[in-house]
Amino acid sequence: MTHHFHTRVYYEDTDLAGIVYHANYLKFIERARSEMVREAGISQTALKADQGIVFAVRRMEMDFIAPARFEDDLRVKTRLIGVKGASFDLDQTVWRGADRLYAAKVQVVCLAENGRAVRIPADIRQKLVTFQQ
């Protein structure tokens, strides 16, 4: 199942030309990832408090295809590509209507408090795979 997150482009997201500043796409897709994890039934706050683990972006490959502009309604699609021992990979795209504006391949790693990668717990893995196609 692909996760969908809707957002609007605000003035603060744009540069002087009214085009979304490139770094703000990272905010859009971060919010979408956070909502996907929440909708999978995973509380990142509880995960840290109870098990001492957190998720962090390890790697990202981005493609800026077309500009988003002030007041555009955007949809971020997030799809789980796969889950490995300590990480999972996502495909995230930003759309305005039928137009794809941005694409990213994202690897998220599970980290212990000491900053070392640790296996994703089995129950968390099961919840994540609901967003795999």
Side-chain angles (χ1 to χ4, degrees), residues 48-83:
K48 182 178 180 189
D50 299 343
Q51 299 185 45
I53 57 178
V54 297
F55 293 134
V57 172
R58 180 174 185 272
R59 179 179 298 129
M60 187 178 294
E61 178 183 320
M62 300 172 281
D63 189 12
F64 298 90
I65 301 159
R69 299 181 187 280
F70 178 54
E71 294 191 340
D72 280 353
D73 287 318
L74 302 178
R75 183 175 72 255
V76 181
K77 293 182 180 181
T78 303
R79 183 176 57 88
L80 182 71
I81 298 169
V83 181

mmCIF file of all heavy atoms in Angstrom, residues 48-83:
data_model
loop_
_atom_site.group_PDB
_atom_site.id
_atom_site.type_symbol
_atom_site.label_atom_id
_atom_site.label_comp_id
_atom_site.label_asym_id
_atom_site.label_seq_id
_atom_site.Cartn_x
_atom_site.Cartn_y
_atom_site.Cartn_z
ATOM 1 N N LYS A 48 11.693 5.057 21.272
ATOM 2 C CA LYS A 48 12.899 5.581 21.924
ATOM 3 C C LYS A 48 12.849 5.352 23.432
ATOM 4 O O LYS A 48 13.825 4.902 24.038
ATOM 5 C CB LYS A 48 13.065 7.067 21.623
ATOM 6 C CG LYS A 48 14.320 7.647 22.225
ATOM 7 C CD LYS A 48 14.486 9.100 21.877
ATOM 8 C CE LYS A 48 15.766 9.627 22.513
ATOM 9 N NZ LYS A 48 15.892 11.055 22.391
ATOM 10 N N ALA A 49 11.705 5.654 24.054
ATOM 11 C CA ALA A 49 11.585 5.525 25.511
ATOM 12 C C ALA A 49 11.650 4.072 25.967
ATOM 13 O O ALA A 49 12.317 3.766 26.963
ATOM 14 C CB ALA A 49 10.280 6.165 25.975
ATOM 15 N N ASP A 50 10.970 3.178 25.257
ATOM 16 C CA ASP A 50 10.858 1.784 25.699
ATOM 17 C C ASP A 50 12.026 0.899 25.267
ATOM 18 O O ASP A 50 12.412 -0.021 25.987
ATOM 19 C CB ASP A 50 9.561 1.164 25.180
ATOM 20 C CG ASP A 50 8.322 1.878 25.692
ATOM 21 O OD1 ASP A 50 8.423 2.635 26.682
ATOM 22 O OD2 ASP A 50 7.244 1.701 25.083
ATOM 23 N N GLN A 51 12.546 1.142 24.040
ATOM 24 C CA GLN A 51 13.577 0.251 23.505
ATOM 25 C C GLN A 51 14.905 0.946 23.240
ATOM 26 O O GLN A 51 15.879 0.306 22.853
ATOM 27 C CB GLN A 51 13.065 -0.425 22.237
ATOM 28 C CG GLN A 51 11.829 -1.279 22.494
ATOM 29 C CD GLN A 51 11.395 -2.040 21.271
ATOM 30 O OE1 GLN A 51 12.217 -2.625 20.574
ATOM 31 N NE2 GLN A 51 10.099 -2.044 20.999
ATOM 32 N N GLY A 52 14.930 2.285 23.401
ATOM 33 C CA GLY A 52 16.176 3.019 23.196
ATOM 34 C C GLY A 52 16.654 3.060 21.764
ATOM 35 O O GLY A 52 17.849 3.147 21.501
ATOM 36 N N ILE A 53 15.709 2.969 20.816
ATOM 37 C CA ILE A 53 16.095 3.011 19.401
ATOM 38 C C ILE A 53 15.335 4.113 18.680
ATOM 39 O O ILE A 53 14.241 4.514 19.077
ATOM 40 C CB ILE A 53 15.893 1.654 18.691
ATOM 41 C CG1 ILE A 53 14.439 1.177 18.810
ATOM 42 C CG2 ILE A 53 16.855 0.609 19.251
ATOM 43 C CD1 ILE A 53 14.158 -0.129 18.083
ATOM 44 N N VAL A 54 15.965 4.609 17.619
ATOM 45 C CA VAL A 54 15.379 5.659 16.796
ATOM 46 C C VAL A 54 15.635 5.336 15.325
ATOM 47 O O VAL A 54 16.507 4.533 14.993
ATOM 48 C CB VAL A 54 15.975 7.056 17.125
ATOM 49 C CG1 VAL A 54 15.658 7.468 18.553
ATOM 50 C CG2 VAL A 54 17.470 7.096 16.862
ATOM 51 N N PHE A 55 14.879 6.004 14.457
ATOM 52 C CA PHE A 55 15.100 5.908 13.017
ATOM 53 C C PHE A 55 15.832 7.159 12.553
ATOM 54 O O PHE A 55 15.529 8.266 13.017
ATOM 55 C CB PHE A 55 13.776 5.806 12.257
ATOM 56 C CG PHE A 55 13.010 4.537 12.495
ATOM 57 C CD1 PHE A 55 11.653 4.576 12.748
ATOM 58 C CD2 PHE A 55 13.638 3.302 12.457
ATOM 59 C CE1 PHE A 55 10.925 3.421 12.951
ATOM 60 C CE2 PHE A 55 12.927 2.129 12.670
ATOM 61 C CZ PHE A 55 11.570 2.194 12.913
ATOM 62 N N ALA A 56 16.788 6.988 11.635
ATOM 63 C CA ALA A 56 17.519 8.124 11.071
ATOM 64 C C ALA A 56 17.771 7.862 9.592
ATOM 65 O O ALA A 56 17.996 6.722 9.179
ATOM 66 C CB ALA A 56 18.847 8.315 11.799
ATOM 67 N N VAL A 57 17.746 8.917 8.805
ATOM 68 C CA VAL A 57 18.054 8.787 7.380
ATOM 69 C C VAL A 57 19.548 8.540 7.239
ATOM 70 O O VAL A 57 20.378 9.258 7.794
ATOM 71 C CB VAL A 57 17.637 10.054 6.602
ATOM 72 C CG1 VAL A 57 18.140 9.998 5.165
ATOM 73 C CG2 VAL A 57 16.125 10.209 6.630
ATOM 74 N N ARG A 58 19.877 7.503 6.491
ATOM 75 C CA ARG A 58 21.284 7.157 6.251
ATOM 76 C C ARG A 58 21.736 7.598 4.866
ATOM 77 O O ARG A 58 22.843 8.055 4.678
ATOM 78 C CB ARG A 58 21.493 5.651 6.389
ATOM 79 C CG ARG A 58 22.927 5.245 6.139
ATOM 80 C CD ARG A 58 23.149 3.770 6.422
ATOM 81 N NE ARG A 58 24.539 3.439 6.289
ATOM 82 C CZ ARG A 58 25.117 3.080 5.138
ATOM 83 N NH1 ARG A 58 24.416 3.010 4.034
ATOM 84 N NH2 ARG A 58 26.401 2.791 5.106
ATOM 85 N N ARG A 59 20.859 7.437 3.893
ATOM 86 C CA ARG A 59 21.235 7.727 2.504
ATOM 87 C C ARG A 59 20.016 8.248 1.777
ATOM 88 O O ARG A 59 18.886 7.829 2.042
ATOM 89 C CB ARG A 59 21.730 6.447 1.835
ATOM 90 C CG ARG A 59 22.115 6.620 0.382
ATOM 91 C CD ARG A 59 22.623 5.337 -0.246
ATOM 92 N NE ARG A 59 23.832 4.901 0.451
ATOM 93 C CZ ARG A 59 24.014 3.682 0.928
ATOM 94 N NH1 ARG A 59 23.080 2.771 0.807
ATOM 95 N NH2 ARG A 59 25.124 3.359 1.545
ATOM 96 N N MET A 60 20.273 9.162 0.819
ATOM 97 C CA MET A 60 19.171 9.698 0.031
ATOM 98 C C MET A 60 19.681 10.065 -1.365
ATOM 99 O O MET A 60 20.753 10.632 -1.510
ATOM 100 C CB MET A 60 18.590 10.938 0.714
ATOM 101 C CG MET A 60 17.337 11.470 0.067
ATOM 102 S SD MET A 60 16.650 12.894 0.941
ATOM 103 C CE MET A 60 16.179 12.153 2.485
ATOM 104 N N GLU A 61 18.890 9.703 -2.356
ATOM 105 C CA GLU A 61 19.163 10.084 -3.744
ATOM 106 C C GLU A 61 17.946 10.857 -4.227
ATOM 107 O O GLU A 61 16.813 10.382 -4.115
ATOM 108 C CB GLU A 61 19.355 8.819 -4.585
ATOM 109 C CG GLU A 61 19.600 9.088 -6.040
ATOM 110 C CD GLU A 61 19.712 7.784 -6.814
ATOM 111 O OE1 GLU A 61 20.333 6.826 -6.298
ATOM 112 O OE2 GLU A 61 19.159 7.724 -7.927
ATOM 113 N N MET A 62 18.169 12.085 -4.746
ATOM 114 C CA MET A 62 17.053 12.961 -5.096
ATOM 115 C C MET A 62 17.106 13.382 -6.559
ATOM 116 O O MET A 62 18.178 13.530 -7.129
ATOM 117 C CB MET A 62 17.082 14.222 -4.236
ATOM 118 C CG MET A 62 16.973 13.955 -2.760
ATOM 119 S SD MET A 62 17.249 15.440 -1.792
ATOM 120 C CE MET A 62 19.024 15.548 -1.840
ATOM 121 N N ASP A 63 15.921 13.617 -7.114
ATOM 122 C CA ASP A 63 15.797 14.126 -8.477
ATOM 123 C C ASP A 63 14.744 15.236 -8.470
ATOM 124 O O ASP A 63 13.582 14.987 -8.160
ATOM 125 C CB ASP A 63 15.378 12.997 -9.413
ATOM 126 C CG ASP A 63 15.430 13.390 -10.878
ATOM 127 O OD1 ASP A 63 15.997 14.447 -11.213
ATOM 128 O OD2 ASP A 63 14.887 12.630 -11.695
ATOM 129 N N PHE A 64 15.177 16.451 -8.785
ATOM 130 C CA PHE A 64 14.270 17.592 -8.874
ATOM 131 C C PHE A 64 13.790 17.674 -10.318
ATOM 132 O O PHE A 64 14.550 18.016 -11.211
ATOM 133 C CB PHE A 64 14.988 18.884 -8.461
ATOM 134 C CG PHE A 64 15.470 18.853 -7.043
ATOM 135 C CD1 PHE A 64 16.745 18.385 -6.732
ATOM 136 C CD2 PHE A 64 14.651 19.277 -6.010
ATOM 137 C CE1 PHE A 64 17.195 18.355 -5.419
ATOM 138 C CE2 PHE A 64 15.092 19.250 -4.686
ATOM 139 C CZ PHE A 64 16.367 18.782 -4.403
ATOM 140 N N ILE A 65 12.521 17.364 -10.543
ATOM 141 C CA ILE A 65 11.993 17.196 -11.896
ATOM 142 C C ILE A 65 11.336 18.471 -12.410
ATOM 143 O O ILE A 65 11.572 18.890 -13.545
ATOM 144 C CB ILE A 65 11.009 16.011 -11.928
ATOM 145 C CG1 ILE A 65 11.753 14.740 -11.487
ATOM 146 C CG2 ILE A 65 10.378 15.841 -13.298
ATOM 147 C CD1 ILE A 65 10.876 13.627 -11.004
ATOM 148 N N ALA A 66 10.501 19.096 -11.602
ATOM 149 C CA ALA A 66 9.804 20.324 -11.992
ATOM 150 C C ALA A 66 9.518 21.123 -10.724
ATOM 151 O O ALA A 66 9.390 20.550 -9.644
ATOM 152 C CB ALA A 66 8.498 19.999 -12.723
ATOM 153 N N PRO A 67 9.409 22.440 -10.829
ATOM 154 C CA PRO A 67 9.227 23.248 -9.618
ATOM 155 C C PRO A 67 7.804 23.242 -9.087
ATOM 156 O O PRO A 67 6.837 23.224 -9.839
ATOM 157 C CB PRO A 67 9.605 24.658 -10.080
ATOM 158 C CG PRO A 67 9.296 24.673 -11.540
ATOM 159 C CD PRO A 67 9.584 23.275 -12.037
ATOM 160 N N ALA A 68 7.707 23.244 -7.755
ATOM 161 C CA ALA A 68 6.434 23.519 -7.086
ATOM 162 C C ALA A 68 6.439 25.015 -6.788
ATOM 163 O O ALA A 68 7.495 25.623 -6.625
ATOM 164 C CB ALA A 68 6.306 22.716 -5.801
ATOM 165 N N ARG A 69 5.242 25.588 -6.718
ATOM 166 C CA ARG A 69 5.133 27.032 -6.539
ATOM 167 C C ARG A 69 4.199 27.373 -5.385
ATOM 168 O O ARG A 69 3.414 26.549 -4.924
ATOM 169 C CB ARG A 69 4.621 27.670 -7.826
ATOM 170 C CG ARG A 69 5.550 27.434 -9.006
ATOM 171 C CD ARG A 69 5.039 28.097 -10.285
ATOM 172 N NE ARG A 69 5.851 27.720 -11.421
ATOM 173 C CZ ARG A 69 7.023 28.265 -11.729
ATOM 174 N NH1 ARG A 69 7.516 29.212 -10.979
ATOM 175 N NH2 ARG A 69 7.686 27.864 -12.782
ATOM 176 N N PHE A 70 4.291 28.618 -4.963
ATOM 177 C CA PHE A 70 3.466 29.150 -3.890
ATOM 178 C C PHE A 70 1.998 28.790 -4.122
ATOM 179 O O PHE A 70 1.485 28.923 -5.211
ATOM 180 C CB PHE A 70 3.653 30.673 -3.829
ATOM 181 C CG PHE A 70 2.819 31.372 -2.801
ATOM 182 C CD1 PHE A 70 2.841 30.983 -1.468
ATOM 183 C CD2 PHE A 70 2.008 32.431 -3.156
ATOM 184 C CE1 PHE A 70 2.080 31.631 -0.520
ATOM 185 C CE2 PHE A 70 1.238 33.099 -2.214
ATOM 186 C CZ PHE A 70 1.281 32.689 -0.893
ATOM 187 N N GLU A 71 1.345 28.276 -3.079
ATOM 188 C CA GLU A 71 -0.057 27.871 -3.023
ATOM 189 C C GLU A 71 -0.398 26.569 -3.737
ATOM 190 O O GLU A 71 -1.560 26.181 -3.780
ATOM 191 C CB GLU A 71 -0.988 28.999 -3.490
ATOM 192 C CG GLU A 71 -0.977 30.195 -2.564
ATOM 193 C CD GLU A 71 -2.081 31.201 -2.852
ATOM 194 O OE1 GLU A 71 -2.646 31.205 -3.960
ATOM 195 O OE2 GLU A 71 -2.379 31.975 -1.930
ATOM 196 N N ASP A 72 0.595 25.875 -4.300
ATOM 197 C CA ASP A 72 0.322 24.566 -4.908
ATOM 198 C C ASP A 72 -0.142 23.582 -3.833
ATOM 199 O O ASP A 72 0.359 23.593 -2.704
ATOM 200 C CB ASP A 72 1.581 23.973 -5.562
ATOM 201 C CG ASP A 72 1.882 24.550 -6.924
ATOM 202 O OD1 ASP A 72 1.053 25.317 -7.459
ATOM 203 O OD2 ASP A 72 2.978 24.238 -7.459
ATOM 204 N N ASP A 73 -1.091 22.728 -4.197
ATOM 205 C CA ASP A 73 -1.475 21.591 -3.365
ATOM 206 C C ASP A 73 -0.600 20.426 -3.801
ATOM 207 O O ASP A 73 -0.575 20.070 -4.986
ATOM 208 C CB ASP A 73 -2.949 21.235 -3.565
ATOM 209 C CG ASP A 73 -3.873 22.243 -2.921
ATOM 210 O OD1 ASP A 73 -3.573 22.666 -1.787
ATOM 211 O OD2 ASP A 73 -4.883 22.606 -3.543
ATOM 212 N N LEU A 74 0.109 19.836 -2.850
ATOM 213 C CA LEU A 74 1.035 18.755 -3.160
ATOM 214 C C LEU A 74 0.607 17.470 -2.464
ATOM 215 O O LEU A 74 -0.011 17.491 -1.410
ATOM 216 C CB LEU A 74 2.450 19.113 -2.698
ATOM 217 C CG LEU A 74 3.056 20.393 -3.268
ATOM 218 C CD1 LEU A 74 4.440 20.621 -2.677
ATOM 219 C CD2 LEU A 74 3.104 20.364 -4.782
ATOM 220 N N ARG A 75 0.977 16.353 -3.081
ATOM 221 C CA ARG A 75 0.741 15.030 -2.502
ATOM 222 C C ARG A 75 2.082 14.301 -2.505
ATOM 223 O O ARG A 75 2.745 14.213 -3.544
ATOM 224 C CB ARG A 75 -0.288 14.261 -3.333
ATOM 225 C CG ARG A 75 -0.645 12.902 -2.756
ATOM 226 C CD ARG A 75 -1.759 12.215 -3.549
ATOM 227 N NE ARG A 75 -1.301 11.745 -4.843
ATOM 228 C CZ ARG A 75 -1.575 12.313 -6.017
ATOM 229 N NH1 ARG A 75 -2.319 13.390 -6.081
ATOM 230 N NH2 ARG A 75 -1.121 11.818 -7.146
ATOM 231 N N VAL A 76 2.482 13.817 -1.349
ATOM 232 C CA VAL A 76 3.708 13.035 -1.238
ATOM 233 C C VAL A 76 3.305 11.566 -1.146
ATOM 234 O O VAL A 76 2.543 11.174 -0.268
ATOM 235 C CB VAL A 76 4.532 13.428 0.006
ATOM 236 C CG1 VAL A 76 5.819 12.605 0.067
ATOM 237 C CG2 VAL A 76 4.832 14.923 0.013
ATOM 238 N N LYS A 77 3.813 10.770 -2.079
ATOM 239 C CA LYS A 77 3.569 9.330 -2.066
ATOM 240 C C LYS A 77 4.809 8.643 -1.513
ATOM 241 O O LYS A 77 5.925 8.914 -1.962
ATOM 242 C CB LYS A 77 3.301 8.803 -3.476
ATOM 243 C CG LYS A 77 2.012 9.294 -4.094
ATOM 244 C CD LYS A 77 1.843 8.667 -5.470
ATOM 245 C CE LYS A 77 0.582 9.105 -6.164
ATOM 246 N NZ LYS A 77 0.447 8.452 -7.485
ATOM 247 N N THR A 78 4.590 7.765 -0.530
ATOM 248 C CA THR A 78 5.688 7.028 0.077
ATOM 249 C C THR A 78 5.389 5.543 -0.029
ATOM 250 O O THR A 78 4.319 5.086 0.359
ATOM 251 C CB THR A 78 5.863 7.424 1.558
ATOM 252 O OG1 THR A 78 6.065 8.832 1.640
ATOM 253 C CG2 THR A 78 7.038 6.695 2.176
ATOM 254 N N ARG A 79 6.350 4.824 -0.582
ATOM 255 C CA ARG A 79 6.194 3.375 -0.756
ATOM 256 C C ARG A 79 7.415 2.680 -0.181
ATOM 257 O O ARG A 79 8.554 3.060 -0.458
ATOM 258 C CB ARG A 79 6.060 3.041 -2.238
ATOM 259 C CG ARG A 79 5.815 1.575 -2.527
ATOM 260 C CD ARG A 79 5.599 1.325 -4.012
ATOM 261 N NE ARG A 79 6.693 1.768 -4.832
ATOM 262 C CZ ARG A 79 7.764 1.030 -5.137
ATOM 263 N NH1 ARG A 79 7.865 -0.202 -4.686
ATOM 264 N NH2 ARG A 79 8.728 1.517 -5.882
ATOM 265 N N LEU A 80 7.183 1.686 0.653
ATOM 266 C CA LEU A 80 8.267 0.887 1.201
ATOM 267 C C LEU A 80 8.771 -0.052 0.111
ATOM 268 O O LEU A 80 7.994 -0.816 -0.462
ATOM 269 C CB LEU A 80 7.771 0.083 2.407
ATOM 270 C CG LEU A 80 8.814 -0.765 3.114
ATOM 271 C CD1 LEU A 80 9.800 0.105 3.874
ATOM 272 C CD2 LEU A 80 8.134 -1.742 4.056
ATOM 273 N N ILE A 81 10.055 0.026 -0.162
ATOM 274 C CA ILE A 81 10.655 -0.850 -1.169
ATOM 275 C C ILE A 81 11.070 -2.172 -0.544
ATOM 276 O O ILE A 81 10.877 -3.233 -1.122
ATOM 277 C CB ILE A 81 11.864 -0.162 -1.847
ATOM 278 C CG1 ILE A 81 11.407 1.098 -2.584
ATOM 279 C CG2 ILE A 81 12.581 -1.115 -2.786
ATOM 280 C CD1 ILE A 81 12.536 1.973 -3.061
ATOM 281 N N GLY A 82 11.646 -2.102 0.654
ATOM 282 C CA GLY A 82 12.079 -3.319 1.321
ATOM 283 C C GLY A 82 12.620 -3.035 2.706
ATOM 284 O O GLY A 82 12.988 -1.907 3.019
ATOM 285 N N VAL A 83 12.656 -4.097 3.528
ATOM 286 C CA VAL A 83 13.185 -4.004 4.884
ATOM 287 C C VAL A 83 14.345 -4.989 4.990
ATOM 288 O O VAL A 83 14.210 -6.153 4.621
ATOM 289 C CB VAL A 83 12.107 -4.353 5.936
ATOM 290 C CG1 VAL A 83 12.677 -4.225 7.338
ATOM 291 C CG2 VAL A 83 10.882 -3.471 5.774
#
